[in-house]
């Protein structure tokens, strides 16, 4: 039987890995089991924004928005390689319609019934003023007004859009965020296990017995407490794997994205408000592409079966085409992805209205070991969620250290956000065969650890086999040895997004290499 631990974490998404990292840094002995790859579910399928959630102001979710807004800068400073500030352009048109069942809409239909779901420009400006000031400023510049008739941001848009507001939020490479939290957890002593499914967990006297099935076969583990961070599987784990009679529920809401060839040249995002009251983003993506999303639909199937349907793809193309001069068609789409939000069921009528706040449910009957179940949450609040989770577990795991993650950097992120350009230039200078685009990819994925990956190479050939798309054997080896990559999808869709660049033969040779070298 493996050594007993203090805390056993089920699920290697952002919440599980964030909690494992925080707990390990407090001196607890931690083990995490992920049934597939790290970030294989919701945490690699998000819109990838560190955001306060502008539209949640419509729901008067002020606490959620304030907390998330102030967290954006904390996070960007802790991981300036994989996250960065972004400017968002919100074209304004008097005909834009907003969702009708939000608290703000209901209030307005009473006091200004003639508005009929519309918002005057001053009201949007006031919302953005609130957004600028709720969560503090520093790294992220405030809102300004744009005249689209003269600004480059207006060039790709239809001429009918003459004005816009521009505001700030942050961007993060979500799947890399997860793996870097796992790495930091491991650096603090945690035992991270991938391809390891928790099939049963029960209390036995003063501890939990957890049964896993993985590369080592069937194993039993002992722990003083368990965290269920199963994301969309949280209810299944709670009631099935852990046998609880809890009445808590989650609702699964699918969100799909499309990736197209690059639709415009500047580096800002668009925030489009649709005629149906919904919003979508168009975001510069992976240097040569544009990311557009998301949809929102109830999801009944297995979370891993979530796929962007043709109808969702067409909806996103049509939505974007309302704004862009050049029509966006399914032929422009080079990739799609889809994920499932696990929303805590609070009785709200629409998918959008269901709460985005997380709920931490502690199950700790007197004299028995504790379990904590994580419902909902956002990428943006994962660090705060981990702090709250450990706060709840503190009475059950006495002796743990205090909060420490605020201001603590993730691996490779030991530089200031303003220095990222200099790091990219330095990498290219130190390795003259690495061009600027490649250097940018390396710094944006690995930060200062890029130098460890490239080592003392003097020429491309020193990095081993070249798989195409700037992926070399040296990088693959790093992904296997340091980042738990086991399968080809782990490499091309989660640790990197090189799936957008590699052809079928190149993907096959990566797969063959992994078969030979991955544990
Ligand atoms: C379309 C979409 C867009 C979003 N956009 C944003 C955004 O822009 N910004 C933002 O802040 N948030 C966003 N979110 C929310 C955010 O992505 C989620 O809140 C977050 O990723 C949830 O992480 P998690 O760790 O709880 O779940 P997951 O990432 O789903 O992780 C749960 C893990 O548990 C594992 N697991 C399940 N059962 C077992 C078992 N028995 N044994 C072992 N492992 C198991 C699964 O394999 C999975 O990897 C978005 C969500 C969606 C769906």
């Amino acid at each position: 039987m493996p050594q007993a631990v203090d805390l056993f974490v089920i699920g290697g998404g952002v919440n599980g890995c964030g909690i494992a990292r925080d707990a390990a840094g407090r001196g607890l002995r931690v083990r995490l089991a992920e049934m597939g790859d790290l970030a294989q579910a919701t945490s690699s399928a998000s819109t990838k924004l560190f955001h306060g959630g502008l539209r949640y102001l419509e729901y008067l979710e002020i606490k959620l928005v304030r907390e998330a807004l102030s967290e954006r800068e904390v996070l960007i400073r802790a991981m300036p390689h994989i996250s960065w500030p972004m400017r968002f352009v919100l074209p304004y048109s008097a005909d834009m319609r907003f969702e009708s069942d939000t608290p703000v809409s209901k209030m307005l239909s009473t006091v200004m019934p003639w508005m009929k779901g519309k918002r005057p420009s001053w009201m949007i400006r006031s919302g953005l003023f609130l957004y600028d000031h709720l969560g503090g400023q520093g790294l992220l510049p405030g809102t300004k007004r744009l005249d689209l008739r003269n600004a480059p941001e207006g060039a790709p848009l239809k001429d009918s859009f003459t004005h816009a507001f521009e505001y700030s939020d942050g961007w993060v490479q979500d799947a890399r965020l997860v793996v870097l939290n796992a790495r930091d957890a491991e650096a603090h002593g945690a035992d991270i296990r991938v391809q390891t499914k928790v099939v049963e967990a029960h209390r036995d006297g003063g501890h939990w017995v957890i049964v896993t099935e993985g590369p080592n076969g069937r194993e039993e583990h002992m722990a003083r407490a368990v965290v269920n961070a199963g994301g969309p599987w949280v209810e299944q784990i709670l009631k099935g794997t852990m046998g609880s009679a809890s009445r808590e529920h989650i609702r699964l809401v699918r969100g799909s994205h499309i990736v197209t060839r690059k639709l415009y040249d500047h580096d800002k995002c668009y925030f489009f408000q649709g005629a149906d009251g919904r919003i979508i983003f168009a975001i510069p993506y992976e240097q040569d592409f544009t990311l557009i999303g998301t949809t929102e639909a109830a999801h009944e199937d297995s979370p891993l079966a979530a796929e962007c349907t043709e109808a969702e793809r067409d909806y996103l193309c049509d939505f974007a085409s309302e704004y862009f001069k050049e029509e966006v068609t399914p032929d422009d789409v080079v990739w799609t992805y889809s994920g499932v939000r696990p929303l805590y069921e609070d009785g709200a009528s629409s998918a959008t209205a269901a709460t985005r706040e997380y709920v931490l449910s502690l199950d700790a009957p007197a004299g028995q070991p504790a379990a904590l179940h994580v419902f909902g949450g956002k990428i943006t609040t994962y660090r705060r969620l981990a702090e709250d989770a450990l706060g709840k577990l503190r009475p059950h795991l006495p002796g743990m250290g205090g909060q420490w993650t605020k201001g603590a950097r993730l691996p490779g992120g030991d530089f200031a956000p303003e220095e990222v350009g200099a790091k990219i230039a330095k990498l290219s200078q130190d390795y003259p065969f690495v061009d600027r685009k490649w250097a940018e990819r390396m710094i944006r994925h690995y930060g200062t650890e890029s130098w460890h990956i490239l080592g003392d190479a003097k020429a491309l050939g020193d990095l081993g086999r070249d798989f195409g798309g700037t992926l070399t054997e040296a990088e693959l080896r790093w992904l296997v040895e340091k980042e738990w990559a086991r399968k080809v999808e782990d490499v091309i869709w989660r640790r990197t997004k090189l799936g957008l660049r590699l052809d079928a033969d190149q993907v096959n040779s990566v797969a063959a290499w992994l078969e030979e070298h991955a544990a």
Side-chain angles (χ1 to χ4, degrees):
M1 184 187 280
Q3 209 187 8
V5 293
D6 298 312
L7 183 65
F8 194 103
V9 181
I10 307 173
V14 74
N15 289 326
C17 291
I19 292 168
R21 173 201 186 211
D22 194 336
R26 293 174 191 240
L28 296 177
R29 288 167 305 161
V30 179
R31 183 165 301 136
L32 178 145
E34 162 53 53
M35 67 177 170
D37 182 29
L38 297 172
Q40 72 167 355
T42 318
S43 297
S44 60
S46 80
T47 311
K48 310 176 201 312
L49 303 181
F50 276 156
H51 63 157
L54 188 54
R55 73 199 172 116
Y56 304 149
L57 286 179
E58 282 270 320
Y59 292 89
L60 300 177
E61 297 236 32
I62 305 293
K63 179 173 164 277
L64 172 72
V65 175
R66 180 191 292 122
E67 212 176 276
L69 281 173
S70 55
E71 184 67 3
R72 293 174 312 183
E73 295 203 8
V74 173
L75 295 174
I76 292 175
R77 290 190 192 284
M79 51 193 92
H81 46 343
I82 60 161
S83 72
W84 53 92
M86 281 264 210
R87 294 292 279 168
F88 287 74
V89 175
L90 191 166
Y92 175 74
S93 128
D95 295 329
M96 289 184 333
R97 286 285 189 286
F98 287 70
E99 257 205 284
S100 58
D101 64 350
T102 69
V104 167
S105 275
K106 285 178 186 154
M107 209 159 63
L108 284 176
S109 65
T110 314
V111 294
M112 297 165 79
W114 60 91
M115 292 307 299
K116 294 195 167 58
K118 297 181 189 173
R119 297 286 181 276
S121 142
W122 62 263
M123 198 176 284
I124 296 180
R125 181 72 187 86
S126 312
L128 286 165
F129 180 83
L130 193 64
Y131 203 71
D132 277 349
H133 291 90
L134 266 179
Q137 277 176 272
L139 192 60
L140 303 174
T143 299
K144 66 176 191 182
R145 213 178 142 87
L146 283 181
D147 183 343
L148 293 175
R149 291 165 299 190
N150 312 311
E153 295 80 1
L157 301 182
K158 288 182 175 164
D159 294 339
S160 53
F161 298 102
T162 56
H163 289 92
F165 295 108
E166 188 184 303
Y167 70 96
S168 290
D169 257 328
W171 167 266
V172 62
Q173 320 242 55
D174 53 5
R176 294 215 51 80
L177 170 68
V178 177
V179 79
L180 292 185
N181 270 278
R183 286 201 54 222
D184 210 32
E186 187 182 62
H188 286 93
D191 174 13
I192 307 289
R193 301 193 177 194
V194 294
Q195 308 296 337
T196 303
K197 181 172 183 174
V198 173
V199 291
E200 193 197 321
H202 60 264
R203 291 184 172 98
D204 185 359
H207 56 262
W208 280 94
V209 174
I210 302 108
V211 184
T212 58
E213 281 173 6
N216 304 333
R218 200 173 163 91
E219 285 184 287
E220 278 195 1
H221 312 255
M222 274 186 9
R224 293 163 66 206
V226 170
V227 165
N228 167 11
W233 291 266
V234 63
E235 187 177 339
Q236 199 172 307
I237 295 170
L238 168 70
K239 296 174 185 174
T241 316
M242 300 178 80
S244 162
S246 160
R247 298 163 74 111
E248 287 162 305
H249 282 297
I250 53 160
R251 183 140 54 101
L252 298 183
V253 179
R254 187 177 67 248
S256 296
H257 291 81
I258 57 174
V259 175
T260 66
R261 62 177 176 82
K262 193 173 180 169
L263 295 178
Y264 57 88
D265 277 331
H266 61 77
D267 62 357
K268 296 178 185 168
C269 310
Y270 289 103
F271 178 115
F272 294 148
Q273 181 80 43
D276 58 359
R278 293 198 63 258
I279 62 122
I280 59 164
F281 296 99
I283 302 173
Y285 189 57
E286 293 288 322
Q287 301 174 336
D288 300 313
F289 303 91
T290 302
L291 173 66
I292 301 175
T294 171
T295 57
E296 229 165 36
H299 185 78
E300 313 287 344
D301 213 340
S302 149
L304 283 180
E307 272 185 7
C308 177
T309 61
E310 280 186 13
E312 285 177 302
R313 179 201 62 193
D314 294 349
Y315 168 83
L316 291 171
C317 288
D318 292 348
F319 198 146
S321 300
E322 291 290 316
Y323 278 84
F324 286 119
K325 264 185 198 139
E326 218 175 295
E327 194 184 357
V328 183
T329 71
D331 285 344
D332 296 318
V333 176
V334 295
W335 184 50
T336 66
Y337 66 85
S338 195
V340 174
R341 278 179 206 274
L343 296 184
Y344 192 69
E345 189 60 275
D346 63 354
S349 58
S350 82
T352 315
T355 182
R356 260 67 178 175
E357 286 274 17
Y358 56 77
V359 174
L360 300 177
S361 171
L362 183 70
D363 170 23
Q368 294 191 42
L372 185 77
H373 308 280
V374 178
F375 293 92
K378 292 171 47 166
I379 295 268
T380 316
T381 44
Y382 90 94
R383 192 197 63 82
R384 297 281 306 268
L385 182 151
E387 274 183 353
D388 283 358
L390 288 158
K392 283 199 180 296
L393 287 170
R394 176 177 287 285
H396 308 278
L397 293 170
M400 73 162 81
Q403 296 182 351
W404 66 279
T405 55
K406 187 171 185 177
R409 292 166 188 273
L410 285 178
D414 48 339
F415 57 93
E418 299 78 12
E419 289 169 350
V420 70
K423 292 285 173 216
I424 294 168
K426 179 85 171 79
L427 192 71
S428 248
Q429 191 188 328
D430 291 351
Y431 300 94
F433 57 93
V434 171
D435 67 16
R436 175 148 184 118
K437 248 180 145 172
W438 183 4
E440 186 176 340
R441 183 179 76 76
M442 293 300 286
I443 295 293
R444 285 308 192 187
H445 282 61
Y446 308 103
T448 51
E449 293 193 317
S450 304
W451 277 269
H452 298 294
I453 298 172
L454 299 176
D456 53 10
K458 299 275 178 286
L460 181 61
D462 296 336
L463 296 174
R465 219 167 123 189
D466 177 2
F467 292 90
T470 68
L471 180 65
T472 65
E473 204 167 346
E475 187 175 346
L476 260 188
R477 212 175 281 286
W478 174 273
L479 296 179
V480 169
E481 287 170 8
K482 308 275 188 189
E483 298 197 357
W484 298 275
R486 299 287 179 267
K487 299 187 176 167
V488 70
E489 304 80 43
D490 309 352
V491 170
I492 66 168
W493 293 122
R494 287 183 285 272
R495 303 305 179 278
T496 75
K497 291 288 183 282
L498 287 169
L500 290 167
R501 300 182 191 279
L502 300 179
D503 64 28
D505 287 343
Q506 291 169 326
V507 171
N508 286 339
S509 45
V510 175
W513 189 93
L514 286 169
E515 207 140 291
E516 206 179 313
H517 296 89

